[in-house]
Amino acid sequence: MNSKIDDVDELFSWRDEYCVNVEEIDSAHQKLFTIVRRLLKNLCQGDYEKNRLTCIEAVKYLKQYTIQHFAQEEELQLKIGYGGYETHKRIHDSMREITIPALEKQMVETNYSEKSVEHFAGVCAAWLTAHIMLEDQAIVGKVRSQWETGINGDALSVLRSHAENFVRRLFQLEIVAENLNYDAYDIGETLHYYTIYKGSKNDIYRAVLLLDRNLVCESIGKLIGKKLTALNEMAMSMMEELSQTFVVNFIEKYTNDNVMLLSDGIVDKEAFRGDFKKLHPDISILWNTKFGHIAFCIKTVKAGGYISS
């Protein structure tokens, strides 16, 4: 593991602001923090055997946690009449039924490689802190949920299936959903391709595709019949054109709107994260393939609403 994390206790310790002031919920959160912190320590120390055993323990606990703890949270939400129950439950279902199985499968298939364990640890740490700070605290009125989009689960399922079929047809890649509420955490060496479209009623659609560089090389190489190890101008142009086709296809399915491209371009990770935080997307999905990750985020800004360029 690289040395970005020097003092894991300092970096990933429990803080008072994580408390939602419901004893059973705070206790469950603290236990999960302890497990993830131990996993990060093992990574820093380069201890493969401890990593493997800790990952097995962590997955086992997460499976139990996402059944029992999520049920506790959902029971509390129903009891107090929390308006964001349906959205919060959908986030829980995604973590339990999609994210955990996908991460476990990746680790098992790679024999708990350092890369797969680092990814598992990063997802757990990012999901835990973000979910507590931005979703669980919304239950008790400390903050407002970031996922208040009005998109129901059935609509999201249709859009996700449509996007996956598109990628399979176009790139001939097997693609598996890993997170239906991707929260901008680091997924490696990625290109961040932004597009901004205008609809027929002047609505603005801001979309970004995150593509693993290895995945782009593999996909473009397969299309042109030549192995690529680096992205030249031609490959980048192909990537941009194919990405626009994907985005337009998705928007038309999502809104039944005809759109026109206003602007596009590649941005770095920090610019992407800053924009994500400032103008949180309506939909943000992360997929995995054997060549790396794909993420897609989209935000609709209604005519007359705020938009940054």
Side-chain angles (χ1 to χ4, degrees), residues 63-107:
K63 287 178 177 178
Q64 180 185 29
Y65 172 94
T66 55
I67 294 172
Q68 296 180 350
H69 173 65
F70 286 178
Q72 282 182 329
E73 285 191 2
E74 290 161 16
E75 184 180 355
L76 171 65
Q77 292 171 55
L78 290 173
K79 184 178 179 180
I80 65 175
Y82 176 54
Y85 170 78
E86 292 295 337
T87 297
H88 200 108
K89 186 179 187 304
R90 189 163 70 242
I91 295 171
H92 281 173
D93 291 346
S94 173
M95 185 67 174
R96 181 178 57 249
E97 298 168 10
I98 294 175
T99 303
I100 301 295
L103 295 173
E104 181 183 24
K105 183 173 184 285
Q106 184 183 39
M107 288 190 294

Side-chain angles (χ1 to χ4, degrees), residues 65-67 69-71 73-74 77 82 84-101 123 126-139 144-149 151-153 156 178-183 185 280-284:
Y65 172 94
T66 55
I67 294 172
H69 173 65
F70 286 178
E73 285 191 2
E74 290 161 16
Q77 292 171 55
Y82 176 54
Y85 170 78
E86 292 295 337
T87 297
H88 200 108
K89 186 179 187 304
R90 189 163 70 242
I91 295 171
H92 281 173
D93 291 346
S94 173
M95 185 67 174
R96 181 178 57 249
E97 298 168 10
I98 294 175
T99 303
I100 301 295
V123 171
W127 187 88
L128 181 57
T129 52
H131 189 69
I132 290 173
M133 294 298 288
L134 299 174
E135 299 304 324
D136 288 347
Q137 290 194 3
I139 300 172
R144 181 177 177 179
S145 171
Q146 62 179 344
W147 292 106
E148 294 179 351
T149 64
I151 299 171
N152 65 44
L156 182 60
E178 185 174 297
N179 193 338
L180 302 187
N181 304 97
Y182 171 62
D183 207 26
Y185 51 78
H280 198 278
D282 302 319
I283 297 174
S284 184

Side-chain angles (χ1 to χ4, degrees), residues 155 158-159 162-163 247-257:
V158 169
L159 290 167
H162 182 73
V247 174
V248 170
N249 194 279
F250 189 96
I251 291 174
E252 289 178 349
K253 191 75 174 180
Y254 172 38
T255 65
N256 294 316
D257 197 0

